[in-house]
Amino acid sequence: MTTTVPPGGITPADAAGHAHPRAGRLAALWRGREADARWVRPAFLALLAATALLYLWNLSASGYANSFYSAAAQAGSESWKAFFFGASDPAGSITVDKPPAALWPMALSVRIFGLGSWQILVPEVLMGVATVAVLHAAVRRRFTPAAGLLAGAVLALTPVAALMFRFNNPDALLALLMTVTVYCVLRALEDARTTWLVWAGVAVGLAFLTKTLQAFLILPPLALVYAVCAPTTLRRRLGQLALAGLAIVVSGGWWVAVVELWPASSRPYIGGSQANSFLELTFGYNGLGRINGEETGSVGGGGGGGWGETGVDRLFAGNIGGQVSWLLPAALLLLVAALFLTGRAARTDTARAAFLVWGGSLLSTAVIFSFMAGIFHEYYTVALAPYIAALVGMGGTLLWEERAKPLRSALLAATVALSAWWSYVLLGRSADYLPWLRTAVLIGGLVSAAVLLFVVRAGRRTALAAAALGVAALLAGPAAYSLTTVGEGHAGSIVTAGPAVAGGRGGPGGGPGGVPGGDDGDGGRAGVRPPTGAAQGAGPGTAAPPAGTGQARPQGQGQGGFPARGETGGPGGGGGMGGLLDGADVGAEAESLLERDADDYTWAAAAIGSQNAASYQLATGEPVMAIGGFNGSDPSPTLARFKQYVADGRIHWFIGGGDGPGGGAGGGTSSEITAWVQDEFTPVTVDGVTFYDLTAEK
């Protein structure tokens, strides 16, 4: 059928778009590129929709997830000053131990829609969907639509991604910004456009305001690839890199400059530091301390004992392997194969540059994660997920397109076979977890590999069927882990994806929560919150009412919220590290006690450790001072200053219990404050928790 073009070159379809601009834009959104097959854009939109549905499923089961950050988001929704600094409470006693960028989307959501589980966690879900979209765009731009879709699917189904894009730690925003950074660098590599490289610098600067120096892990390979491969003169390349560096300094340094220049007496204490300095926090506790294990104020040490053994196999071992490594062997093999196949390409070849950028980002981050002696948690590995997914999408389709050549088909078959075997190994680490699946994955992968090995002799339909079988086999394991992950609630400071496995290596003592193998010591997995009977259809932020009542309570409050008393090890405190890694169960009587006359005080209460304080703040909606910050070991406030607060009538209650490293032998002033309160004030027990009325001395 021939379309008649009217004068002026406007087709009837164009005319319809001009007559109805919105309809035209929607049609263009659905249609995509003119050169694409009809299935391409619908498949991409279906990928985003499926990712959103997966990550939104059962979202409120996690309650407030990590109450440490949820309380800071609540504080930021009530006070712009707390918002700017990332303070733990609206009155601004102390900040979280990270820059505040990751808190800002949550705080704005809470300010607009009110406090609740969905209001806290939906922004994280949107970051996950955005990361899949950006990754797809980056891969699709140079490679095929199938490459972009495969990369996006691999990322969406990576178990640690399904965990962290439904959780409120900074890692979700960090993963998005790192993916955006790579996308901008790849755009700059196409035609040496300075604007794109500057935007990459801006993304890195914002990532620095999300998780400090982790944002810089991929800078060396990105800078090196651009300096070598960009299609312009060396002098201009170096000048552009200098401008990108300036963009990093400006976009990430403005906040640091304000904080450092702001009078310390009128801003919150910088949590995680020992000298009330963000620069000290950046280069110490959150910087070099993570590498060498010498983290002043930390709850544990490295050296191979505190945070799991280091080494080249760290990302493959125990609990960590099931978080992210399903297709890591495939990504590494495909990277080597792609660099071999593009070895004779021109210096400016964009395909090879893409493999160098994604591969360099993967290797530089993986090496640091493998050998860092300081704090290391399994969920950190979400940073690797976009890099792995991109290499699998690009490398797999590159070999598929050249499958007629024996070497290419052999490499493709080897990749599928290796990945199927590795999935078999990972699934076997949890003996009772879908035992049939590991066998099916192995058989399906080996059958696919056998056909792909001789793909030249097979017909197109047979080859396509083998490829589809291979993709299904390789994604089945991580998909099952991801479905298990979204079916459970996750709360606390240390969380893991998938089922419990033997030999966890990521947390203190070898596994999350201090128990080898990823077990929390109470028969369940650390960080996994069993369903609390959340009422279906009750709306975001609600849970089933406590027994004997007919009233739903917000997530995180009392019996209906997080964390449950059984999960934190005892009333009011519990949990790993003296109760500092998990929150407290706030009973109705304790809630009522803190709310009484709360408006007459700057802080309704004070508690040792941010997690304990956060639980009471989220339950009551009233400011609660976190003494000693996250670990209870920060020297904030000093005993003298705390006494002055009490003398001025600014704090009503002191909540006993929960003293860990900072309250005992870990330094800081938490133990001094606790001892003084116990000597000067009379204890009362409410809901199994000891409270001290700081307005009534003995």
Side-chain angles (χ1 to χ4, degrees), residues 359-458:
S361 299
L362 172 62
L363 292 174
S364 62
T365 306
V367 167
I368 294 297
F369 283 177
S370 296
F371 293 97
M372 59 189 286
I375 295 174
F376 179 80
H377 300 309
E378 286 94 334
Y379 64 78
Y380 289 179
T381 58
V382 71
L384 301 171
Y387 314 144
I388 294 171
L391 290 171
V392 169
M394 298 187 306
T397 54
L398 178 64
L399 293 180
W400 171 258
E401 289 175 344
E402 300 187 13
R403 63 189 180 278
K405 300 177 182 179
L407 177 60
R408 277 64 163 175
S409 62
L411 288 171
L412 187 60
T415 301
V416 174
L418 174 63
S419 300
W421 168 78
W422 184 238
S423 291
Y424 179 83
V425 171
L426 290 176
L427 288 168
R429 290 180 179 173
S430 183
D432 298 328
Y433 182 73
L434 303 177
W436 59 269
L437 181 61
R438 64 193 300 253
T439 302
V441 165
L442 182 62
I443 293 175
L446 293 179
V447 169
S448 172
V451 176
L452 292 173
L453 184 60
F454 302 102
V455 70
V456 177
R457 302 178 184 178

Side-chain angles (χ1 to χ4, degrees), residues 88-187:
S88 294
D89 64 85
S93 61
I94 193 170
T95 71
V96 299
D97 59 0
K98 300 289 187 297
L103 300 173
W104 291 339
M106 291 186 289
L108 291 175
S109 175
V110 173
R111 182 176 285 269
I112 295 171
F113 300 107
L115 181 64
S117 178
W118 275 59
Q119 292 90 318
I120 291 288
L121 298 180
V122 167
E124 312 303 306
V125 172
L126 297 178
M127 292 174 197
V129 176
T131 305
V132 171
V134 174
L135 175 66
H136 174 276
V139 172
R140 166 71 178 90
R141 187 169 181 84
R142 176 56 182 80
F143 297 88
T144 65
L149 291 171
L150 178 58
V154 169
L155 172 59
L157 293 176
T158 300
V160 72
L163 172 71
M164 295 313 295
F165 287 126
R166 296 162 43 85
F167 202 75
N168 59 331
N169 279 16
D171 302 78
L173 181 58
L174 179 71
L176 170 59
L177 290 170
M178 292 292 89
T179 307
V180 170
T181 299
V182 174
Y183 172 82
C184 292
V185 170
L186 291 175
R187 291 295 301 269

Side-chain angles (χ1 to χ4, degrees), residues 69-70 83 125 189 284 329 646:
Y69 295 116
S70 293
F83 176 93
V125 172
L189 281 165
V646 173

